Structure formats: structure tokens, C-alpha cells
Amino acid sequence: MALIDRTVYPRFPATFDTKELNTLYTPSQAEISFATKTVRGDSTILSFLAMLKTFQTLKYFPHPVEIPLAVTRHIHKCLGFTEIPYTAYPPRSLYRHQPLIRQYLGFAAFADNKVAKHVVNKAVFEAAQTRDDPVDLINVAVEALINSGFELPAFSTLERLARRVRSLVNSGYF
């Protein structure tokens, strides 16, 4: 079993049921309004809402090709589009939309954010005083970042952080 499978790091499930799609991925009227005021064109609105809803669930932006087709189809159906629009997400648009989505949801980026790095390092350092399992330390990091309103970094970033802090604390004990 992979390390990520034992943590609370959010990921897409292998399959979706209707209840899960309706609960997690149905855009509200306010979200649809935000999308239509922010971007133009059916395909861009669909992609924007798919990014918004997946960020709400995962607390990070997956690469657009990683968004399950079931999620995109569900949002497409919610929007009442008759044709399936082109759903490729141009990189320039993607990087322009991510800060808008973060701001709308009240989250800050992790990358190059000294406050986020301080929050996660402090939480993991304190947890490493009494816990040694990297899974526990990664779970503490995920919880600290989400509770503080920061986007989650890649899992590998949290894994390296947990191992580094654990090694530092253990070296101090020896």
C-alpha cells in the first residue's frame, strides 16, 4: 500500500456515485453567476466550474486532464448545455483562473508563501515531538494547511517535509 493511501490527502475516488456527484460537484447559482461574470464561452465556463468544484473538494488544483470525466459531465448537465463544448484548458487561462478561484473560496496559494510554510513546519515539528510515523505527520500537515486557509501542495512536498522534520527531531533526541 502506497504512503498516500494511508493519509488523509484528498484524491478523487475510483468511481463516483450520483449522490456524491450531486453533493460535491453541483455548482450553486452563486458559483455559476461567478463563473459567467468571470469567463466567457461555454467551454471556458465548464472548465472554470470544474476547477472551482474540484478545488473545493481537494483543496488543490489537479491538472485539468486529471479531472474525472464523470465530474465534467455532471457539471455540463447542471449547466444545461445541449452540446458538449471543447473542454481543453489553455495554460494561460488556467493560471489566470486559479488566483480568482482561490480568492473566491478564501484560500491562499502554498507556493512561495512564507506564512504557509511556517504554519506547516510548526505543526509538523510539534507533532513530531510525540509521533514518528510519516503518515501521522502528513495528516497533521494537511489539517494545518486546510484549517489555516492554504492550498495543499503536491503530496511529495508534504512527504519530504514530514521526513525532514522527523529526521531533525530524531537527531535532536540522539
Side-chain angles (χ1 to χ4, degrees), residues 146-166:
I146 291 173
N147 290 341
S148 298
F150 292 107
E151 172 184 8
L152 294 177
F155 181 79
S156 59
T157 301
L158 296 177
E159 184 178 12
R160 280 191 308 277
L161 170 85
R163 292 188 191 284
R164 182 177 43 81
V165 171
R166 184 180 81 169

Side-chain angles (χ1 to χ4, degrees), residues 20 22 48 53 70 89 101 107 123 145 151 159:
E20 189 173 36
N22 288 332
F48 186 85
K53 296 309 288 182
Y89 216 129
I101 291 170
F107 274 76
L145 287 168
E151 172 184 8
E159 184 178 12

Side-chain angles (χ1 to χ4, degrees), residues 31 51-53 55-56 100-107:
E31 292 165 342
M51 247 334 136
L52 174 77
K53 296 309 288 182
F55 185 88
Q56 282 178 329
L100 297 171
I101 291 170
R102 276 189 214 102
Q103 182 180 13
Y104 179 76
L105 297 175
F107 274 76

